[in-house]
Amino acid sequence: MGYVAFSELGGGDVARRPSIAVEAPARLTALEWSVVAIAWSDRLSSLRRPGRLARALGGVFGGHNPRLADPALEALRRMAVLTWRRGYTVPPHEVSAFRAAGYSAEQYELLVDGIAAARRRDPPRHA
């Protein structure tokens, strides 16, 4: 069995050499992309908190609550709804909330680019 003595190859003192940080490319999981796809049918009104009357009527007649239980996925849903509806004109505080939920700037760009590509392929049928 052979081995390599790195000191013989000029490896010397490894501690003095600069380390190179390699970042993995930005990605979203399959679950996250499914949230983005589902957000296509959500309206901007789904981003507002329901008032007392709406909650009461929903309790009596049943209602649809599009909000997700996971805070990070809800932040992703909000950003996806805004991007589906408004394109690149998303309020800065929403981007900050998206980032505060644990998503990176690269993931935001991936989300926006993915939605833009989907809109080019299959333009939305609703306004």
Side-chain angles (χ1 to χ4, degrees):
M1 181 184 275
Y3 68 93
V4 176
F6 290 105
S7 61
E8 293 175 8
L9 296 175
D13 189 6
V14 178
R16 280 194 247 152
R17 294 181 185 234
S19 63
I20 299 172
V22 178
E23 288 188 30
R27 63 186 288 290
L28 294 174
T29 66
L31 174 63
E32 291 168 329
W33 280 118
S34 67
V35 168
V36 172
I38 290 169
W40 176 80
S41 63
D42 289 347
R43 298 182 183 277
L44 285 173
S45 61
S46 72
L47 303 180
R48 292 190 295 267
R49 292 195 176 275
R52 287 184 4 212
L53 180 60
R55 285 194 309 265
L57 291 174
V60 172
F61 298 109
H64 172 67
N65 182 2
R67 292 175 191 230
L68 302 175
D70 183 86
L73 291 178
E74 176 58 18
L76 176 64
R77 185 190 75 86
R78 290 182 64 83
M79 186 57 62
V81 169
L82 287 166
T83 304
W84 278 116
R85 298 300 181 161
R86 294 185 176 167
Y88 294 99
T89 58
V90 175
H93 70 275
E94 291 289 351
V95 176
S96 297
F98 180 73
R99 297 285 313 278
Y103 292 99
S104 67
E106 292 79 16
Q107 286 172 310
Y108 172 66
E109 290 176 16
L110 179 65
L111 169 71
V112 172
D113 292 345
I115 289 175
R119 289 177 73 112
R120 283 190 300 271
R121 270 192 320 272
D122 186 27
R125 294 175 192 80
H126 50 76

